[in-house]
Amino acid sequence: MSVNKVILVGNVGIDPEVRYLEGGTAVATVRLATSETYKNKNGERITQTEWHNIVLWRGLAEITEKYVKKGMQLYIEGRLRTRSWDDKEGNKRYTTEIVADSMKMLSRKDDNSSQQEEKKQQDIAPELDDADDLPF
Amino acid sequence: MSVNKVILVGNVGIDPEVRYLEGGTAVATVRLATSETYKNKNGERITQTEWHNIVLWRGLAEITEKYVKKGMQLYIEGRLRTRSWDDKEGNKRYTTEIVADSMKMLSRKDDNSSQQEEKKQQDIAPELDDADDLPF
Amino acid sequence: MSVNKVILVGNVGIDPEVRYLEGGTAVATVRLATSETYKNKNGERITQTEWHNIVLWRGLAEITEKYVKKGMQLYIEGRLRTRSWDDKEGNKRYTTEIVADSMKMLSRKDDNSSQQEEKKQQDIAPELDDADDLPF
Amino acid sequence: MSVNKVILVGNVGIDPEVRYLEGGTAVATVRLATSETYKNKNGERITQTEWHNIVLWRGLAEITEKYVKKGMQLYIEGRLRTRSWDDKEGNKRYTTEIVADSMKMLSRKDDNSSQQEEKKQQDIAPELDDADDLPF
DNA sequence: TTTT
DNA sequence: TTTT
């Protein structure tokens, strides 16, 4: 038995990237910042920002494509996954990502169509879970 | 405002490494496995194991040094932190770790001194939180 | 947007109760204890136990009926729900429960058939989520 | 070993109540709403609101007294506690509350002094944890 | 009513 | 490199 759970509330750093696999499956990646403020030994206020790579599949990716923009505040629930790849020198490299199981928009960047999109967002809210049975 | 929270329950892969910084601060690293089982399209049961790098500071590191062993089941609560370093070819590399804020032992590998250590573990249980104010 | 999430690891106080609604839907209730130990001002070790009412629906209820026993350690992920009812004097009363979305068995009470049940438990493990779309 | 953790993001229903115990310890109570939307069998969109009783001690209570207002969105991390009391008919009653370990303000109700208070809030942000060692 |  |  094990538990692998991540809960994040943070802000989107750049507009998400969304691509579609051969079979039509959507995959989105989101850069999400969380920051933490503390005082160091000299009493100075230090803000430390952490950047997270979020991966969203299928329905969550499609929602992301339509509604998630740079600057928005998101709630993400997911799990850690480290995958390996080979760089150009042939070295094994590792990247740790958060695979989202649930995503909620806490704010929206207002744009021209905001009133209308607000409604859309509410319409789709109940579908914001990744209930597919594939584990990635 | 942001939230950066990780909750893990998993098994320790190898005995932890603990070192002491110049000032005497203890730092422990633990390799923790979580695994997830699912059926693929052919109905075969697939187990996918995820390895996490846990970093524990100060009191948590000292507890780790004394009691955490390969094979034990741990509950970890912490936060994600990605740090960068330069490899031998001078390339920037990134490693994502979970900095523990709380650690609980869900099982112990039984050894000769188990009865005695059981008691020790209980004695220290209330101190198993990293309440220091440094954010790393 | 809101989040209502509970994460518990605790021990089952009595064998669960399971009943079936008219339509055949299974509902299980589990009493789960969590305890917390601290030192009071006199340095005495105090253990405080908290009892939680867990409600599990459908597949989770059926798993509970088959495998969950008094004394077992469970991981529960769910959400808070307070429901009201009228007592015999006609006063409104409130009961707060945790509606489970996920349940994992961290230990089993060993019994005669343990080897065999062990296997069963593994067979059903992947189905331990409440993926139905009803919100209760 | 056990875990008793609650994570909430919701809105404050009425201005918090804050009182001071004989020894000067501050205690605040906050009514927090979370809501969940789903479609019933007829395809109608149903919103179900859940009200939570949050209890905050010491520093968190003082922050609450100064800054938390009706309508604000809060992030609360805490633990469940059910306490019993006797009603006027002498019956034992139970109330389940969430004792906060951490509180973060996700929004503020704008008032006249908002600019100035914004700064205050940031100044106190690092102290928003209940690090005292009393377990309630 | 559980467990360590 | 762990565990079930």
Side-chain angles (χ1 to χ4, degrees):
Chain A
M1 204 298 301
S2 61
V3 175
N4 174 359
K5 181 160 284 286
V6 177
I7 291 174
L8 301 173
V9 176
N11 296 289
V12 178
I14 53 169
D15 284 349
E17 286 178 27
V18 184
R19 63 199 175 87
Y20 285 80
L21 305 187
E22 318 91 84
T25 304
V27 196
T29 53
V30 170
R31 289 281 288 172
L32 195 78
T34 58
S35 46
E36 148 170 50
T37 306
Y38 64 98
K39 277 188 183 140
N40 67 8
K41 293 174 179 175
N42 305 326
E44 299 163 313
R45 178 167 306 288
I46 308 293
T47 294
Q48 200 167 323
T49 296
E50 197 62 43
W51 286 98
H52 310 273
N53 294 309
I54 317 293
V55 181
L56 307 103
W57 288 85
R58 291 171 290 272
L60 288 178
E62 292 163 17
I63 299 296
T64 299
E65 184 171 37
K66 285 190 196 136
Y67 302 110
V68 175
K69 303 286 178 226
K70 174 179 170 178
M72 281 179 58
Q73 187 181 33
L74 297 185
Y75 169 88
I76 296 284
E77 200 176 314
R79 53 192 187 283
L80 287 166
R81 188 198 50 183
T82 299
R83 54 184 180 76
S84 66
W85 46 285
D86 297 312
D87 65 12
K88 358 179 198 185
E89 285 104 24
N91 297 317
K92 207 150 204 92
R93 301 268 201 127
Y94 298 91
T95 299
T96 298
E97 299 163 323
I98 293 103
V99 180
D101 291 307
S102 172
M103 187 263 284
K104 296 179 180 184
M105 296 171 244
L106 302 182
S107 78
R108 298 194 318 99
K109 277 299 168 201
D110 287 325
D111 58 340
N112 309 335
S113 55
S114 70
Q115 202 83 16
Q116 210 172 352
E117 292 220 1
E118 180 80 40
K119 195 176 166 312
K120 272 191 216 147
Q121 182 185 349
Q122 287 169 9
D123 287 352
I124 56 179
E127 308 166 42
L128 286 180
D129 265 309
D130 184 11
D132 277 301
D133 49 4
L134 293 178
F136 53 90
Chain B
M1 203 298 303
S2 60
V3 174
N4 175 357
K5 180 160 285 285
V6 178
I7 291 174
L8 300 175
V9 176
N11 297 287
V12 177
I14 53 169
D15 284 347
E17 286 178 25
V18 185
R19 64 201 175 83
Y20 286 80
L21 305 186
E22 318 93 83
T25 305
V27 196
T29 53
V30 170
R31 288 282 287 172
L32 195 78
T34 58
S35 44
E36 153 170 44
T37 306
Y38 65 98
K39 279 192 181 134
N40 68 8
K41 293 173 181 177
N42 306 326
E44 300 163 313
R45 178 167 307 288
I46 308 294
T47 294
Q48 200 167 322
T49 295
E50 197 62 44
W51 286 99
H52 310 274
N53 294 309
I54 316 293
V55 181
L56 306 103
W57 289 85
R58 292 171 291 273
L60 287 179
E62 292 164 18
I63 300 295
T64 298
E65 184 172 37
K66 285 189 196 137
Y67 302 109
V68 176
K69 303 287 178 228
K70 173 179 169 176
M72 280 179 59
Q73 187 181 35
L74 298 185
Y75 170 87
I76 296 284
E77 199 176 315
R79 53 192 185 284
L80 287 166
R81 186 196 53 181
T82 298
R83 55 183 180 75
S84 66
W85 48 285
D86 297 314
D87 66 13
K88 359 179 197 184
E89 285 104 25
N91 297 316
K92 205 147 208 99
R93 301 268 202 125
Y94 298 90
T95 299
T96 299
E97 299 162 324
I98 292 103
V99 181
D101 291 308
S102 173
M103 187 264 284
K104 296 179 180 184
M105 293 171 249
L106 301 183
S107 77
R108 298 193 320 97
K109 275 301 169 200
D110 288 326
D111 59 341
N112 310 332
S113 56
S114 70
Q115 201 82 15
Q116 210 171 353
E117 292 220 1
E118 181 81 38
K119 188 169 172 320
K120 271 191 215 149
Q121 182 185 351
Q122 286 171 9
D123 287 351
I124 55 178
E127 308 165 45
L128 287 180
D129 265 311
D130 184 10
D132 278 300
D133 49 3
L134 293 178
F136 53 88
Chain C
M1 205 299 300
S2 61
V3 174
N4 174 0
K5 182 161 283 286
V6 178
I7 290 173
L8 301 174
V9 176
N11 296 286
V12 177
I14 54 169
D15 283 348
E17 285 178 26
V18 184
R19 64 201 174 83
Y20 286 80
L21 304 187
E22 319 92 82
T25 304
V27 196
T29 54
V30 170
R31 289 283 286 170
L32 196 77
T34 57
S35 44
E36 152 169 48
T37 306
Y38 65 97
K39 279 191 180 136
N40 67 9
K41 292 174 181 175
N42 305 326
E44 301 162 314
R45 177 168 306 288
I46 307 293
T47 295
Q48 200 167 322
T49 295
E50 197 62 44
W51 286 98
H52 310 272
N53 294 310
I54 316 293
V55 181
L56 307 104
W57 288 86
R58 292 171 291 272
L60 287 178
E62 292 164 19
I63 299 295
T64 299
E65 185 171 36
K66 285 191 197 133
Y67 301 109
V68 175
K69 303 287 177 225
K70 172 178 170 178
M72 279 178 59
Q73 187 181 35
L74 298 186
Y75 170 87
I76 295 284
E77 199 175 314
R79 52 191 188 283
L80 288 165
R81 187 198 52 183
T82 299
R83 55 184 180 75
S84 66
W85 47 284
D86 297 313
D87 66 13
K88 5 182 193 185
E89 284 105 24
N91 297 317
K92 204 147 208 98
R93 300 270 202 125
Y94 299 91
T95 300
T96 299
E97 299 163 323
I98 293 102
V99 180
D101 292 307
S102 172
M103 187 262 285
K104 296 179 180 183
M105 294 171 247
L106 302 183
S107 78
R108 296 192 321 96
K109 276 300 168 199
D110 288 326
D111 59 339
N112 309 334
S113 56
S114 68
Q115 202 83 14
Q116 209 172 354
E117 293 221 0
E118 182 81 38
K119 187 164 174 323
K120 271 191 215 150
Q121 182 183 351
Q122 288 170 7
D123 287 351
I124 56 179
E127 309 167 42
L128 286 180
D129 265 309
D130 185 10
D132 277 300
D133 49 3
L134 293 177
F136 53 89
Chain D
M1 203 298 300
S2 60
V3 174
N4 174 357
K5 180 159 287 283
V6 178
I7 290 174
L8 301 174
V9 175
N11 296 288
V12 178
I14 54 168
D15 285 348
E17 286 179 25
V18 184
R19 64 201 175 83
Y20 285 80
L21 305 186
E22 318 94 82
T25 304
V27 197
T29 53
V30 170
R31 289 282 286 171
L32 195 78
T34 57
S35 45
E36 150 170 48
T37 305
Y38 64 99
K39 277 189 182 140
N40 68 8
K41 293 174 181 177
N42 305 326
E44 300 163 314
R45 179 167 305 289
I46 308 293
T47 294
Q48 200 166 322
T49 296
E50 197 61 44
W51 285 98
H52 310 273
N53 295 309
I54 316 293
V55 181
L56 307 104
W57 289 86
R58 293 172 290 274
L60 287 179
E62 293 164 17
I63 299 295
T64 298
E65 184 171 36
K66 285 189 196 136
Y67 302 108
V68 176
K69 303 287 178 225
K70 174 180 169 177
M72 280 179 58
Q73 188 181 33
L74 297 184
Y75 169 88
I76 295 285
E77 198 175 315
R79 53 191 186 282
L80 288 165
R81 188 197 51 183
T82 299
R83 55 185 181 74
S84 66
W85 48 285
D86 297 313
D87 66 13
K88 359 178 198 185
E89 286 104 24
N91 297 317
K92 207 150 206 96
R93 299 270 201 125
Y94 298 91
T95 300
T96 299
E97 299 162 323
I98 292 104
V99 181
D101 292 307
S102 173
M103 187 262 284
K104 297 179 180 185
M105 294 172 246
L106 302 183
S107 77
R108 299 194 318 97
K109 275 301 167 200
D110 288 326
D111 59 340
N112 309 334
S113 55
S114 69
Q115 200 84 14
Q116 210 172 352
E117 292 220 1
E118 181 80 38
K119 192 177 167 315
K120 271 191 213 148
Q121 182 185 347
Q122 288 169 6
D123 288 352
I124 56 179
E127 308 166 44
L128 286 180
D129 265 310
D130 185 10
D132 277 301
D133 49 4
L134 293 177
F136 53 89

